[in-house]
Amino acid sequence: MNERNTLKINNFGHLEIGGADAIELVKNFGTPLYVMDQAHIENVCLAYSEVLNKEYGYGMVAYASKAFSCKEIYRIINSLGLGADVVSGGELYTAKCTGFPTEKIIFHGNNKSEQELIEAVSSNVGIIVVDSFDEVDLLDKISKNANKIQTILIRVNPGIEAHTHHYIQTAKIDSKFGFSIDSGEAEEIIKYVSTKSNLKLKGLHCHIGSQIFEKQSYVLAVDKMTSFYKHIKETLCIEFDILNMGGGFGIWYSDGDAKTTVSDYADYVKLIATELKRNVEKKGLIKPYLILEPGRSIVGEAGITLYSAGNVKEIKGIKNYLAINGGMFENPRFALYQAKYTVKVANKMMDKGVKTYTIAGKCCESGDIIAEDVLLPSVERGDVIAVFSTGAYNYSMASNYNRNFIPPVVMVKDGVARYVVKPQTYEDLVRNDI
Ligand code: LLP
């Protein structure tokens, strides 16, 4: 595991998260349980803002809330002065329920509905990032009807191939996202938007992918974007005020990943900020307002999922299955991306690993795995199994598959734990059934 002040082994040999003993959390809140370490979330956010201010002095970190969206995370993010990126009417609604300042919200999506655009405009969302020609027409019409001039960015594809799982690469040449700079489409849509009376184009957005460790990709992306800003300035006499470089910073999941600290995360921001400053000066551009949209790195390592161990099935000489009371309905990432996770027995943190287990969920399919071949102490029914780095894209991607409950979420800080998402009930499962 990637230990830190708020994630360690206590004197009982138990896992301790945010000052709370994991075994006590399980006694009080049951399993499966998503646990979030609030101090870690805050530390990452503060480090991002501090570095951005120090190195660039003109910009905003907007939390990509697709990573983990519920009312409390918008409250926390807002209290720390960050903005938020939302990608649906649902995320916008959730943020608004908490009084989140909508001028600090960026609305994304490659196929937003008319209704979502109407809601975004009428909510006075700060920026809408457009991603198609017909969206430009639609948004212009909606803004006109609302008697507003909507600030927009255009999502462009800088054609940078980041080394990550191909499902989460987003800026390759065949991507469904954005307008390619290289093909000339980006320039076309910039010209097109300039003809629209109720849209104010303030800059461009790119997001080169997710779970990126190769920092050089960002250096290339900043160079590509600023070269394009220069090209647009020279050919169309348009100077952009904003540059949104997206998110995507890689986090620690398992042995194969570098153990990241808060300051390692902040280094991504520092690199992008200093590269942008250097490029802007070199290319003679006005200094654009820099927006960054990290999601995973803010909440990912803050999250730990706790389960109860069920049966162990030994297939002699082949595999030992350890069944847990969760599975792909609350963490679909192994099934989707062959994602790797670190697993520990939270009540036996000091015991040596003696047996290799494949951690299987309770859903009706063989692909319902959380982690393969992990070395653990001998596991008995009722042991508490902890899976690390589950704070991003677990709760937000959970479903009621097999009519299982989406687990509740508990936020822990200074040893105090509280629900931020309550447990579901059977009534919740049939609420919309006719
Ligand atoms: N901005 C945009 C426009 C994005 O599309 C994304 C992520 C982000 C920011 C935040 O990226 P992050 O910092 O979280 O890497 N479900 C996948 C991840 C999909 C990410 C999609 N876009 C997973 O579980 O790995």
Side-chain angles (χ1 to χ4, degrees):
M1 83 196 216
N2 192 9
E3 291 186 39
R4 55 181 184 256
N5 279 345
T6 51
L7 187 65
K8 54 188 176 207
I9 300 169
N10 68 16
N11 294 336
F12 303 109
H14 295 171
L15 177 66
E16 189 181 293
I17 309 161
D21 186 310
I23 310 312
E24 290 301 311
L25 289 173
V26 166
K27 276 191 196 137
N28 293 332
F29 297 98
T31 57
L33 183 69
Y34 297 116
V35 182
M36 300 292 282
D37 171 0
Q38 185 170 345
H40 186 67
I41 296 173
E42 292 171 349
N43 290 341
V44 178
C45 289
L46 292 172
Y48 282 171
S49 301
E50 196 182 302
V51 171
L52 183 61
N53 276 339
K54 186 161 161 245
E55 302 294 334
Y56 196 75
Y58 185 49
M60 172 172 81
V61 177
Y63 164 64
S65 63
K66 72 201 78 183
F68 173 68
S69 175
C70 68
K71 288 181 184 174
E72 186 63 8
I73 195 69
Y74 293 104
R75 292 190 198 104
I76 293 172
I77 292 296
N78 185 29
S79 73
L80 300 168
L82 276 74
D85 135 8
V86 304
V87 289
S88 67
E91 286 183 357
L92 175 61
Y93 176 79
T94 312
K96 279 173 57 183
C97 284
T98 69
F100 199 95
T102 52
E103 69 278 8
K104 288 169 84 173
I105 291 183
I106 303 165
F107 201 111
H108 278 282
N110 68 308
N111 187 28
K112 305 165 203 79
S113 70
E114 180 165 4
Q115 183 58 27
E116 284 175 322
L117 290 172
I118 291 171
E119 285 164 14
V121 170
S122 65
S123 306
N124 297 318
V125 157
I127 294 173
I128 298 178
V129 182
V130 299
D131 199 353
S132 69
F133 277 94
D134 72 320
E135 188 179 39
V136 169
D137 295 337
L138 190 57
L139 186 58
D140 186 52
K141 188 186 86 188
I142 291 168
S143 307
K144 207 168 278 167
N145 289 344
N147 207 12
K148 285 189 172 150
I149 310 276
Q150 178 63 48
T151 295
I152 64 164
L153 303 180
I154 294 170
R155 179 159 185 168
V156 302
N157 179 350
I160 307 291
E161 291 195 26
H163 291 165
T164 183
H165 191 283
H166 64 279
Y167 281 10
I168 51 180
Q169 283 181 339
T170 44
K172 286 172 67 175
I173 200 70
D174 60 354
S175 172
K176 73 168 178 172
F177 298 105
F179 292 88
S180 160
I181 291 180
D182 295 333
S183 72
E185 285 163 24
E187 189 168 338
E188 282 313 305
I189 188 148
I190 292 170
K191 284 188 207 149
Y192 187 63
V193 168
S194 314
T195 66
K196 299 291 172 184
S197 55
N198 288 66
L199 300 180
K200 174 86 192 130
L201 175 61
K202 289 220 171 171
L204 306 179
H205 164 273
C206 73
H207 171 75
I208 57 174
S210 204
Q211 187 57 2
I212 295 170
F213 280 111
E214 237 171 75
K215 294 202 176 83
Q216 194 58 20
S217 307
Y218 290 100
V219 174
L220 297 176
V222 168
D223 179 45
K224 190 75 180 262
M225 294 298 282
T226 49
S227 296
F228 189 53
Y229 272 36
K230 183 165 187 237
H231 170 77
I232 292 300
K233 178 182 169 185
E234 286 167 359
T235 53
L236 304 180
C237 297
I238 297 174
E239 277 218 72
F240 292 129
D241 306 325
I242 300 178
L243 173 63
N244 184 333
M245 289 299 299
F249 315 153
I251 70 164
W252 173 87
Y253 280 102
S254 65
D255 284 347
D257 303 326
K259 286 203 168 175
T260 32
T261 61
V262 171
S263 89
D264 292 326
Y265 292 145
D267 281 348
Y268 283 88
V269 175
K270 185 172 177 180
L271 180 72
I272 295 170
T274 49
E275 279 301 305
L276 180 57
K277 206 157 71 181
R278 199 171 62 78
N279 275 275
V280 160
E281 279 161 17
K282 195 172 85 189
K283 293 168 185 165
L285 299 168
I286 58 161
K287 185 176 166 179
Y289 185 78
L290 173 60
I291 299 176
L292 294 170
E293 295 171 338
R296 188 191 311 267
S297 56
I298 290 180
V299 289
E301 285 202 58
I304 290 104
T305 309
L306 301 176
Y307 305 95
S308 296
N311 58 60
V312 174
K313 189 179 279 179
E314 301 191 5
I315 306 177
K316 289 256 164 342
I318 301 182
K319 238 180 175 78
N320 301 318
Y321 279 108
L322 163 58
I324 45 147
N325 56 346
M328 63 193 296
F329 64 93
E330 47 76 32
N331 182 357
R333 297 191 70 259
F334 178 89
L336 270 173
Y337 319 114
Q338 303 80 48
K340 289 203 166 52
Y341 282 99
T342 297
V343 183
K344 298 279 178 202
V345 182
N347 53 317
K348 296 178 176 170
M349 293 299 285
M350 301 301 272
D351 296 11
K352 272 215 169 63
V354 292
K355 229 183 201 171
T356 302
Y357 296 92
T358 286
I359 317 297
K362 65 191 286 272
C363 295
C364 305
E365 51 187 284
S366 306
D368 176 27
I369 301 288
I370 296 292
E372 268 184 322
D373 299 332
V374 288
L375 186 65
L376 295 178
S378 186
V379 178
E380 294 144 294
R381 181 175 276 277
D383 279 342
V384 176
I385 306 299
V387 177
F388 294 83
S389 295
T390 56
Y393 305 111
N394 274 226
Y395 172 71
S396 65
M397 290 172 70
S399 74
N400 289 119
Y401 181 44
N402 286 175
R403 291 242 148 162
N404 285 302
F405 297 133
I406 295 177
V409 186
V410 156
M411 193 70 73
V412 189
K413 189 176 176 184
D414 299 329
V416 180
R418 63 204 164 96
Y419 277 130
V420 295
V421 179
K422 288 191 299 187
Q424 293 187 324
T425 62
Y426 284 132
E427 295 83 74
D428 291 328
L429 298 180
V430 295
R431 191 171 306 283
N432 295 331
D433 292 7
I434 307 295

